[in-house]
Amino acid sequence: SFPTRRSSDLLAVSSSHWSVVQAMAESVQGKVALITGASSGIGAVVAVELAKNGMKVVLTARRKDKLDRIVALIKEGGGEAAAFVCDVGIPKSVADAFSFAEETYGGIDVVFANAGIEGSRLDSPLVEQDDHADIQMVCDINIVGAIQTLKNAVKVFEKRGGGTIAFTSSILAFYGHAQQTATSSGMAPGSVIPYTTSKAAVDMLAEAAHGSYGEQGIKVYNFNIAHYESEMAARLGRKEESTHFRSEE
């Protein structure tokens, strides 16, 4: 497993530490969770698991059809959930998602800031990547989106006297030679720089959030994920048998 980089209240863990997510669920039974990037992968799995633990879950992402399918799955299992179409790269969209959750369930206790993208051309060198789709969008969603999620989470947590927020980062955030390894494996030079840089920023965001709001009853978790089954992992060529997170469909 990968070592913890921060204080005991701010966890940096690999994807095999599913028990951490389970512990979060057990401590907030009957409360409300909002999840970004919940239409597939880890976000969808966590939404289902939290609902199984008795939480009311608000799933947000850009793809309504996939959100609706997961909400239906949760309800079929006896859980309670609602969907809201949200693009974390747009500040108003994030604020509207939080307002929807408050209007629907009366407040929010847990936020899982999971939304993220890798860029559209990891097979291309940095010098050939599109300024918008491969660089700006990665920063807008992975960094600015996470900051906007934290901003709105703090607002709602202050009304509740505290809360819990967890961020999805990556082991690449503290693996400085990731690009060298990727290049030696056949990937284009500089191809993963926007993604790894964005995840390093998420690590710093989580650390800063812990330092800023820890004394206000806000718990901060940061998951430095390794291998897992998701649409992103599939695009990167990850095989199913090497992953830990899977949706049962």
Side-chain angles (χ1 to χ4, degrees):
S1 64
F2 297 93
T4 300
R5 288 181 39 176
R6 317 297 189 203
S7 69
S8 60
D9 291 328
L10 182 58
L11 305 180
V13 300
S14 75
S15 61
S16 61
H17 286 69
W18 178 245
S19 60
V20 175
V21 180
Q22 288 180 316
M24 289 173 59
E26 290 167 0
S27 67
V28 290
Q29 291 183 19
K31 296 187 179 180
V32 181
L34 181 146
I35 301 172
T36 67
S39 61
S40 64
I42 295 174
V45 172
V46 170
V48 171
E49 290 299 317
L50 293 182
K52 286 180 180 178
N53 279 273
M55 294 192 69
K56 301 172 183 177
V57 184
V58 176
L59 295 82
T60 74
R62 292 178 291 181
R63 297 175 294 182
K64 185 177 185 301
D65 58 332
K66 290 184 176 290
L67 288 174
D68 289 342
R69 180 178 59 82
I70 300 166
V71 168
L73 179 67
I74 290 173
K75 290 182 176 180
E76 288 172 5
E80 190 167 354
F84 187 86
V85 176
C86 172
D87 183 342
V88 298
I90 303 173
K92 185 179 184 303
S93 184
V94 179
D96 288 346
F98 276 79
S99 295
F100 171 80
E102 288 191 290
E103 293 168 2
T104 303
Y105 293 124
I108 304 170
D109 303 286
V110 174
V111 172
F112 184 28
N114 172 68
I117 62 173
E118 79 276 19
S120 63
R121 297 178 61 197
L122 286 186
D123 58 343
S124 300
L126 176 65
V127 295
E128 295 180 7
Q129 290 185 7
D130 183 82
D131 288 341
H132 178 67
D134 300 310
I135 299 175
Q136 187 65 52
M137 280 189 65
V138 170
C139 293
D140 285 348
I141 293 176
N142 294 7
I143 303 175
V144 180
I147 293 172
Q148 288 293 332
T149 302
L150 172 65
K151 174 184 175 180
N152 285 276
V154 171
K155 289 181 179 179
V156 298
F157 291 161
E158 287 177 343
K159 299 176 186 178
R160 310 280 263 196
T164 299
I165 183 167
F167 296 92
T168 294
S169 185
S170 168
I171 59 168
L172 296 181
F174 52 82
Y175 180 32
H177 297 292
Q179 182 61 69
Q180 181 179 356
T181 301
T183 301
S184 65
S185 300
M187 295 185 71
S191 57
V192 301
I193 286 176
Y195 177 77
T196 56
T197 300
S198 73
K199 290 305 181 182
V202 170
D203 279 11
M204 181 53 65
L205 171 62
E207 182 174 2
H210 171 63
S212 299
Y213 305 112
E215 294 184 0
Q216 298 180 30
I218 297 175
K219 296 180 180 179
V220 179
Y221 295 86
N222 187 42
F223 301 134
N224 288 90
I225 304 297
H227 298 267
Y228 56 90
E229 183 175 348
S230 69
E231 293 175 353
M232 182 186 295
R235 289 191 293 270
L236 296 175
R238 296 296 185 190
K239 295 182 179 180
E240 182 174 314
E241 61 267 21
S242 69
T243 61
H244 297 287
F245 283 103
R246 295 187 58 192
S247 298
E248 295 183 3
E249 301 178 10

